[in-house]
Structures are given as C-alpha cells and as structure tokens.
Amino acid sequence: MEYVNGDDVTNNKHLAEAIDMTREGSAQPGSAGYDEPDSAGAGMTLRDSCFLVAIEKLEEIQSAPQESQDEIDHVLRMLREERNANNERRARVMAEAHEVLQDVWVPPT
C-alpha cells in the first residue's frame, strides 16, 4: 500500500482538515516516524493524532446534506472501530476513509 497522494479541494474547513488527516494517517507503517512512540506527545504517535483529529473534524461538520452525512457517519464508524488496530490496518483504514471523503460534499462553514 502506498501513501495517499493527490490534491483534495473542498470549501468546508472541517472536511478539508479531515481529508488532510486521513491522507497523513495513510502513511505506510514505519515511514516518517508516524508510529514512533511519543512522536505527537506523551503516549501518542503521529498516526494516533491523525485518527483523533480526523474524528474530531468530522464530528464538527454540521451542514452536510443527508447523503454526505451518511458517508461521514460511515467514515466515523470505520475510524472509531479501527483506531486501536495494528499500524498496517490503521494505515489501510485511513486510506479507505480518505477515498470516501474525497467524494463527499459539504457546504462551507
């Protein structure tokens, strides 16, 4: 699996940040220190931080049309369920979440 690349455009700041975090969190295990202990503070790796921020930003979206909200809810379930999986699985889940979120539209906040 490769790190997700691409230019993602949205005019909703929360969605944009979630897309960015899922891209970051899709980094291959062991690459760029994403899984180094304490790399994002005491007891937290960079990948842990990506999960937390992506979840937080998706929860902040208040203006999504129902179809988009359904996709956001699906991604939230995925991220919450796999947050404590092994790093390989977490990278795959972040890549899957990233792919889904690229097709979501939310009006600006």
Side-chain angles (χ1 to χ4, degrees), residues 65-107:
Q66 189 59 51
E67 184 178 327
S68 293
Q69 189 61 53
D70 291 345
E71 292 297 320
I72 291 167
D73 291 343
H74 169 70
V75 169
L76 280 168
R77 279 191 303 278
M78 286 172 41
L79 295 176
R80 288 178 181 137
E81 289 173 5
E82 300 296 337
R83 182 167 139 177
N84 296 313
N86 67 51
N87 291 328
E88 181 71 32
R89 177 68 187 141
R90 294 192 314 153
R92 279 195 306 268
V93 166
M94 285 298 240
E96 291 171 27
H98 182 77
E99 187 173 318
V100 170
L101 292 176
Q102 288 182 84
D103 293 330
V104 170
W105 182 83
V106 177

